[in-house]
Amino acid sequence: MIRKFFFGFSKPKIRFEGWEGGVETLPLPERVTLPLSQGRQMPFKPVVEVGERVKTGQFIAQLPDRTGVHATVTGIVESIGPGYNREGEEILTLSIHRDSDDEMVPSRPIERLEEAGREELIGVLAELGFASPWKPEELKGRSEGPSIDTVVVLAVDEEPPISVQRRFLTEFGEDLADSIKGIRRMAGEEARIVVAVPEEMKDRAEALLEGVEVLPVGNSPAQTNRALLVSRVVGERVGYVCAPGSNGVVVFSAEDIAFAGRCLRMGKPRTNKLVTVWGPGLQRPKTVKVRLGTPVGHVLSCLGVQVGSGDRVIFGGPLMGYAQPDLDAPITRETDGVTVIPSNEVVPFSDAPCINCGRCVEVCPVFIPVNLVGRYAEFGFFEKAVSMGSGACVECGLCAYVCPSRRPLVQYMRFANKEYIQRQEESAQQEGE
Amino acid sequence: MNRVVLSVAMGPHIHDGSHVYRIMAGYVAALMPAAVWGCVHYGMPAVRTLLLAVGSAVVWEGLARRFLGRDQTIHDGSALVQGLLMGMMLPANTPWWLIIVGTFLMIFIGKQLFGGIGCYPLNPVLIGYAILSVSWPMRLSSHFALVDLTLKGPVLEPLAALKSYGPSVAEVYPPLNLLLGLQTGGIGTGAVGLLALGGIFLMARGDISWRVSLSFLLGVAVAASIFHVISPSRFAGAAFHILAGTTVFGAFFLASDYTTTPVYPLPRLIYGFGTGVLIVLIRNLGAYPDGTVFGILILNLFHPLIDRIRPSVVGGGVLRSGWRGCSPHQVRSSRSPHM
Ligand code: SF4
Ligand code: SF4
């Protein structure tokens, strides 16, 4: 998995068996589960009830700003209740039991899309379920923060073997080009639009996209890390900015905006997601098109990937992905990849001491002295750990990937940061009393 | 459908397969040619010394961990390698009790007192050896210790000869002979050519840092050349200093010990170069014929200091207030609400 040059120069490069061209559409799942809240945001309000029959594309839940969630199959609403997102946080979900083939709600394509004004675009997008960071005039007063001056479009994949975003430069290039024109109309002429592309596709991207900056990015996971990429574009570290647009920067994935553009033209809400699947039983990583909310077990069984007890099913790539507790976990808009690691290939972490070999330090893209910070966190010196820079960690996972002592270094970083914040808050409270 | 129970854990979910014992296995493999050569050169006494050193080091490690109530660490192989290193530095006819005392000092005082692998401030092999050589100097130097061995080649250690008779002795030790290992000294430190091959093997595997080892040799070469140019009649040249004594052994196997070596590129160069220079200073100006042991020990002391020369963390690594448990994974998915 790792390529080492002579004299121990080791930058991890993860090799895999090439991209597979073409995207296969998988059969419809029996059931879909749709998240009704996203992270910290206010939950959507369901507008349907349990037992009601919904059609594909029907509006099922709503936010105050008119955006919402749409059904992705036709069937009976089975339950509305708590579920989990990919990070394991509890959220509200809605599941639909499919009872027939797709019955579509009538689509309402916009005529003369090219001439549609900014307001109209934003409005129709919202109706189709795409909450754009640009608010129509009537809502403008309510949104906080500076106006958006930089739009970052990520057409690179977070880590191998995922090949989803890059396909929007090749197979679905037209969609992306179209949508970027739409973004230009909404963002205004002065806004900076930066498209990050894999370096080998630079020429193609420049030919395809007009009026944008093209940023070539290497293939190593350290370079494709989202937080680092955005920092690179903006020129300053943006690590801990949560609310999109709150610092004038919005980040889109190429897939999201390409789908938005296509849906806008066809007047249908988005129901699909591209996912790269990689696991035992597959010759090469395979990219497939599934309905949003499809349980991961359905995807894996359609492709013939065997999963047994004790294996890890990961949303995302093997370095940064999130292991899922069961095969019902649904594919969401954030799920670019599904990686299955058989239990016999899982390398357990150990609590062995750091031998100070420095390999972690060599690979850390943000130059954290991981060897020291790891030890500080291990022995509870959180202040020290943070003062040495643990707060800059982007959780790329490279340090733990190369550590010969197999220390859980990413966990140590998180642990130190979390404990530090908690203690800061506690002492602030005490002072207040 | 029967229920599949998946395992849940935080990433990364894969590993490059490296392990401490693999590094240690690399050391053993790299040391083997020179050790075997030493056994051929000195005969059965050398075999006895090496086995006793390795065996007692491993036993001491096991006892120390048990005595201190910590998890067992024999399986990581570090005690084995340290025992081997210690054995290779000793003369072939070292008394058995001296070997056992040496490995005891190495493991208990040099290593486990500080917490074992990864925690010791000074290279334990050198601690053990230094205590022995200060306490029983005659036992560890050639004059006395090698009396009862039959040897091919000059009987005197090249560096001791240099100290006593000046650089003219270099003629008695042609570089090729030194390279082939026809010199008296520790069991495994003489076969310079084989040690260098082992070192290159380790560097190619990435198990030791080339920055440390090569800058070490460079330091020796530069310092020795300067002395030689200033006064050729008093000081030997660079080739002699590199090939004689424990220089190459030290460069590849002692100075490169991870725990006592800086981790950043520039500090590694400084550390290696500094050690090399210091060794020549001790040899040329100090009382000891071979300065490798004390040279490395002194630079070990400075390694945390040298390691402070490091790149600053991107963005200063400051946790801003308002971080509030928002971790990078949210940045990673910080797309506009759900476009
Ligand atoms: S410390 Fe954080 S940023 Fe650095 S390599 Fe480890 S996971 Fe990546
Ligand atoms: S890679 Fe592991 S053993 Fe090596 S310095 Fe980093 S934390 Fe320590």
Side-chain angles (χ1 to χ4, degrees):
Chain A
M1 285 294 251
I2 187 165
R3 197 162 79 201
K4 263 188 188 153
F5 293 97
F6 191 55
F7 281 178
F9 176 76
S10 61
K11 282 254 186 259
K13 291 215 168 157
I14 294 156
R15 274 190 278 113
F16 46 91
E17 301 298 317
W19 315 111
E20 177 138 312
V23 174
E24 190 187 322
T25 306
L26 289 191
L28 294 180
E30 215 167 274
R31 170 181 293 102
V32 295
T33 309
L34 301 166
L36 291 190
S37 52
Q38 305 208 323
R40 230 165 292 284
Q41 272 177 0
M42 184 175 3
F44 293 85
K45 219 169 95 226
V47 294
V48 291
E49 274 160 21
V50 175
E52 204 174 318
R53 188 156 190 280
V54 292
K55 291 182 179 171
T56 309
Q58 186 175 334
F59 200 64
I60 52 173
Q62 163 172 61
L63 265 186
D65 65 355
R66 302 204 316 232
T67 64
V69 180
H70 297 77
T72 56
V73 291
T74 302
I76 310 284
V77 177
E78 205 174 40
S79 68
I80 300 174
Y84 295 92
N85 65 7
R86 63 172 183 170
E87 285 107 48
E89 295 156 350
E90 200 178 281
I91 57 166
L92 190 65
T93 59
L94 180 151
S95 61
I96 303 170
H97 186 92
R98 184 173 71 89
D99 61 1
S100 70
D101 283 346
D102 279 339
E103 292 168 29
M104 310 295 290
V105 291
S107 61
R108 290 167 299 153
I110 323 186
E111 286 160 28
R112 301 171 290 107
L113 184 62
E114 272 64 45
E115 293 155 34
R118 180 175 180 277
E119 293 297 297
E120 193 180 351
L121 276 183
I122 296 170
V124 179
L125 271 178
E127 262 164 44
L128 292 176
F130 297 98
S132 65
W134 297 278
K135 297 283 172 258
E137 294 297 333
E138 54 190 286
L139 284 174
K140 224 174 188 171
R142 282 165 53 187
S143 62
E144 300 150 22
S147 63
I148 291 155
D149 53 18
T150 310
V151 180
V152 185
V153 177
L154 301 172
V156 291
D157 292 293
E158 197 158 21
E159 56 175 303
I162 302 170
S163 64
V164 168
Q165 307 302 343
R166 59 174 64 215
R167 284 172 196 269
F168 290 86
L169 290 171
T170 55
E171 284 153 62
F172 312 101
E174 303 299 310
D175 286 334
L176 183 65
D178 257 11
S179 304
I180 285 186
K181 283 188 205 133
I183 296 249
R184 170 60 78 202
R185 240 183 294 164
M186 290 191 283
E189 285 306 318
E190 324 77 52
R192 231 180 121 200
I193 301 182
V194 185
V195 186
V197 302
E199 57 193 0
E200 67 271 17
M201 296 189 184
K202 178 165 172 275
D203 296 338
R204 168 178 230 131
E206 273 166 357
L208 188 67
L209 311 169
E210 305 154 12
V212 298
E213 286 172 50
V214 170
L215 177 79
V217 176
N219 267 329
S220 100
Q223 276 169 295
T224 52
N225 187 288
R226 304 265 137 132
L228 286 174
L229 257 182
V230 178
S231 311
R232 201 171 131 196
V233 172
V234 186
E236 67 174 277
R237 178 112 175 96
V238 293
Y240 297 100
V241 178
C242 296
S246 64
N247 55 350
V249 183
V250 285
V251 184
F252 294 117
S253 70
E255 183 188 26
D256 285 346
I257 62 166
F259 267 121
R262 184 192 284 186
C263 294
L264 199 58
R265 206 163 342 104
M266 305 205 304
K268 288 197 302 191
R270 174 176 176 189
T271 50
N272 291 319
K273 171 81 188 99
L274 298 195
V275 190
T276 300
V277 185
W278 176 226
L282 286 178
Q283 291 291 321
R284 290 175 163 199
K286 201 168 170 73
T287 303
V288 293
K289 190 151 105 183
V290 299
R291 288 291 158 91
L292 282 166
T294 305
V296 61
H298 174 77
V299 178
L300 295 176
S301 65
C302 284
L303 290 175
V305 179
Q306 305 99 19
V307 189
S309 284
D311 293 358
R312 281 196 199 162
V313 172
I314 297 154
F315 277 7
L319 283 175
M320 283 178 281
Y322 302 91
Q324 299 302 310
D326 58 45
L327 290 175
D328 293 337
I331 306 282
T332 63
R333 290 175 209 251
E334 284 91 32
T335 320
D336 280 357
V338 174
T339 313
V340 179
I341 305 214
S343 53
N344 57 2
E345 281 177 28
V346 169
V347 174
F349 291 120
S350 83
D351 56 356
C354 166
I355 60 165
N356 206 41
C357 67
R359 295 183 188 183
C360 51
V361 169
E362 241 166 85
V363 296
C364 180
V366 293
F367 310 121
I368 296 175
V370 189
N371 56 339
L372 299 178
V373 175
R375 282 185 268 195
Y376 281 138
E378 182 182 2
F379 295 110
F381 296 99
F382 305 115
E383 296 256 330
K384 272 282 197 188
V386 171
S387 74
M388 303 279 281
S390 64
C393 177
V394 292
E395 298 185 5
C396 65
L398 290 174
C399 50
Y401 174 68
V402 298
C403 176
S405 278
R406 307 193 168 174
R407 289 160 63 76
L409 294 166
V410 188
Q411 284 88 328
Y412 282 146
M413 300 288 147
R414 265 197 190 186
F415 182 49
N417 292 345
K418 225 174 134 193
E419 290 290 318
Y420 177 80
I421 294 289
Q422 207 169 327
R423 288 178 192 202
Q424 291 302 84
E425 279 169 6
E426 273 166 21
S427 63
Q429 261 177 15
Q430 275 166 8
E431 268 167 38
E433 276 162 15
Chain B
M1 185 173 127
N2 56 349
R3 203 79 198 153
V4 177
V5 181
L6 303 175
S7 88
V8 186
M10 247 189 88
H13 307 280
I14 49 171
H15 193 270
D16 69 353
S18 60
H19 199 291
V20 179
Y21 73 72
R22 298 230 168 122
I23 298 173
M24 295 304 163
Y27 264 87
V28 173
L31 284 167
M32 253 329 132
V36 169
W37 188 90
C39 293
V40 173
H41 190 61
Y42 296 105
M44 271 331 263
V47 179
R48 176 206 65 130
T49 307
L50 287 185
L51 289 181
L52 196 55
V54 170
S56 60
V58 173
V59 170
W60 286 133
E61 168 102 354
L63 288 178
R65 295 303 282 196
R66 166 158 298 192
F67 178 67
L68 295 170
R70 300 227 182 84
D71 292 343
Q72 213 34 272
T73 49
I74 293 183
H75 54 271
D76 69 17
S78 64
L80 190 143
V81 167
Q82 283 157 350
L84 186 59
L85 289 171
M86 169 72 101
M88 287 174 75
M89 290 175 75
L90 295 173
N93 59 348
T94 314
W96 63 268
W97 53 269
L98 199 61
I99 301 171
I100 291 179
V101 170
T103 51
F104 174 82
L105 294 171
M106 167 174 87
I107 297 291
F108 267 84
I109 299 196
K111 191 177 178 192
Q112 293 301 348
L113 211 59
F114 298 102
I117 185 170
C119 307
Y120 46 81
L122 301 166
N123 192 330
V125 182
L126 295 175
I127 293 274
Y129 187 84
I131 298 178
L132 291 190
S133 70
V134 171
S135 313
W136 292 276
M138 295 313 284
R139 288 279 175 193
L140 293 196
S141 68
S142 58
H143 317 300
F144 178 80
L146 300 175
V147 185
D148 46 6
L149 293 174
T150 46
L151 293 171
K152 318 171 211 29
V155 184
L156 220 47
E157 282 178 24
L159 287 171
L162 177 70
K163 195 102 223 161
S164 324
Y165 306 111
S168 55
V169 296
E171 283 147 34
V172 185
Y173 302 94
L176 192 63
N177 279 8
L178 292 178
L179 199 63
L180 289 177
L182 295 174
Q183 55 175 317
T184 306
I187 296 168
T189 57
V192 173
L194 295 176
L195 287 172
L197 283 184
I200 291 170
F201 167 73
L202 281 186
M203 290 191 295
R205 272 172 49 115
D207 281 350
I208 64 174
S209 160
W210 64 268
R211 290 191 172 87
V212 170
S213 302
L214 299 189
S215 67
F216 181 113
L217 295 177
L218 187 71
V220 171
V222 168
S225 306
I226 291 174
F227 274 105
H228 190 60
V229 166
I230 292 173
S231 171
S233 60
R234 283 179 56 208
F235 304 114
F240 187 79
H241 273 291
I242 288 182
L243 294 175
T246 48
T247 317
V248 170
F249 188 74
F252 290 119
F253 300 103
L254 295 176
S256 62
D257 178 64
Y258 281 137
T259 307
T260 52
T261 306
V263 296
Y264 288 96
L266 182 65
R268 279 182 168 173
L269 291 173
I270 296 174
Y271 166 86
F273 193 83
T275 320
V277 170
L278 201 60
I279 285 170
V280 175
L281 286 179
I282 296 176
R283 283 182 185 176
N284 282 349
L285 306 177
Y288 283 93
D290 194 349
T292 312
V293 173
F294 291 102
I296 298 175
L297 279 177
I298 290 171
L299 261 284
N300 277 175
L301 282 176
F302 288 102
H303 111 251
L305 205 62
I306 307 174
D307 224 1
R308 295 186 75 113
I309 310 173
R310 60 170 171 248
S312 54
V313 177
V314 171
V318 197
L319 276 181
R320 307 226 184 95
S321 60
W323 189 80
R324 301 212 134 262
C326 170
S327 77
H329 67 80
Q330 273 139 346
V331 181
R332 278 157 54 188
S333 55
S334 79
R335 306 169 180 180
S336 145
H338 61 285
M339 194 156 173

